Amino acid sequence: MTPPVPLLVFTDLDGTLLDHDNYSYAAAQPALDALTEIGAPLVLASSKTAAEIAPLRAALGRADCPAIVENGAGLLAPNAAPDPNAETYARLRAALEALPGDLRGRFRGFGDMDDSEVARVTGLRMSEAALARQRAFSEPGLWDGDAASEDAFIAALAEHSIQARRGGRFLTLSFGGTKADRMAEIIATYRPGLTLALGDAPNDVEMLETADIGIVVANPHSRPLPRLRGETGPDGPIRRTEKTGPSGWNIAVRAVVSSLGA
């Protein structure tokens, strides 16, 4: 069994640990070093695929930590490579193809697109789009229909035990699972003295509210999150940074590490 750790950190990536404009985590390096010094695992938790997260996890020196991928629909185990078989994704796509044509035809998922189209609709580079299409657990896509037909589409998916969750632009299909669900599994393994989560977007809220301390990282490129449950002040269970992205991440994490007397 893994020995207990003093602190277990879960973090979103884009706009949180990674700078919104250049995807750099350089400003967070002092805090990353502090986590290494006290032996605190860092769990990356993102909508990104395992193929996207694995190289970043290695670059951060956290290959021995699990990662939450595809918004909690799956996990990338410590020191594991992305699974090329993707049986769950194949099952999801098969269920999608079994829907009535008038509903199926209005949803265009990443599996229906080539790399260039995914690059166009996401703003990713071609190489990044190729990794984003290497899906294992979920299918984001564009919906082309009215609200009533979308409701019918979601109801038809539910008959196959598939959930649909709307993000800023994409409707994402999966067999369920959130970042918070995956947190519970990881916490049971590491048995930390304290859990810390950092994020900036609506799909991070459950993660932020599940941790002992949740940090809302300022992101001027998106609408601020509404006041969250537990947001009672600067020392409450939910806190907010003044600085943005990795700069805010750095200050917040170092403050928590300092509070542990480390």
Side-chain angles (χ1 to χ4, degrees), residues 22 27 40 44 56 101 135 137 148 176 207 210-211 251:
N22 59 23
L44 308 183
L56 175 61
R135 313 206 64 80
F137 305 103
M207 180 174 74
T210 296
I251 293 170

Side-chain angles (χ1 to χ4, degrees), residues 1 6 44-45 64 91 101 128 135 154 174 182-183 222 246 260:
M1 181 177 287
L44 308 183
D64 59 342
R91 187 158 51 92
E128 295 167 335
R135 313 206 64 80
I154 292 172
S174 76
R182 302 287 82 81
M183 283 176 71
S222 63
L260 296 176

